[in-house]
Amino acid sequence: TQSRSSAASDVYKRQIISFVKESEFQLVETLAEQICQIILNEFDVSWVKLKLNKGEAITGAEGVGVIIERSTV
C-alpha cells in the first residue's frame, strides 16, 4: 500500500542520512559510491542513479557534485 511504501521510504532516508552524518569522506565521489552500495545491497533494488552535491565546497560556487549510476548486473 501507499502508506507502507512511504514508511519504507522514510526508513531508507533515515538510514542514508545517518550514514552521511557519520561519514568523514574527503571526496564526494567516494561518499556517492558508498551510498550507492548501501542502496543496492540493502534496499532490494538492481539499479540506482544518485546525484550528490556538496554545497559551498568551493568559495563562490554553488557546490561541487557528482551523478553516478550503479547496477547489480
Side-chain angles (χ1 to χ4, degrees):
T1 66
Q2 181 73 21
S3 61
R4 186 177 302 160
S5 176
S6 179
S9 179
D10 288 344
V11 169
Y12 299 155
K13 287 177 192 176
R14 284 193 302 271
Q15 184 174 350
I16 296 296
I17 289 169
S18 175
F19 174 77
V20 171
K21 284 182 177 179
E22 294 173 11
S23 70
E24 295 184 14
F25 295 104
Q26 298 298 313
L27 298 174
V28 173
E29 296 87 348
T30 305
L31 178 58
E33 184 66 47
Q34 292 300 309
I35 292 170
C36 284
Q37 291 307 310
I38 290 170
I39 293 168
L40 291 171
N41 294 324
E42 297 185 25
F43 301 157
D44 194 32
V45 297
S46 60
W47 175 82
V48 62
K49 180 176 183 178
L50 177 72
K51 179 179 180 181
L52 183 64
N53 184 34
K54 186 175 181 181
E56 300 181 16
I58 298 174
T59 303
E62 288 184 28
V64 173
V66 295
I67 299 173
I68 63 172
E69 294 181 52
R70 296 292 182 263
S71 70
T72 57
V73 286

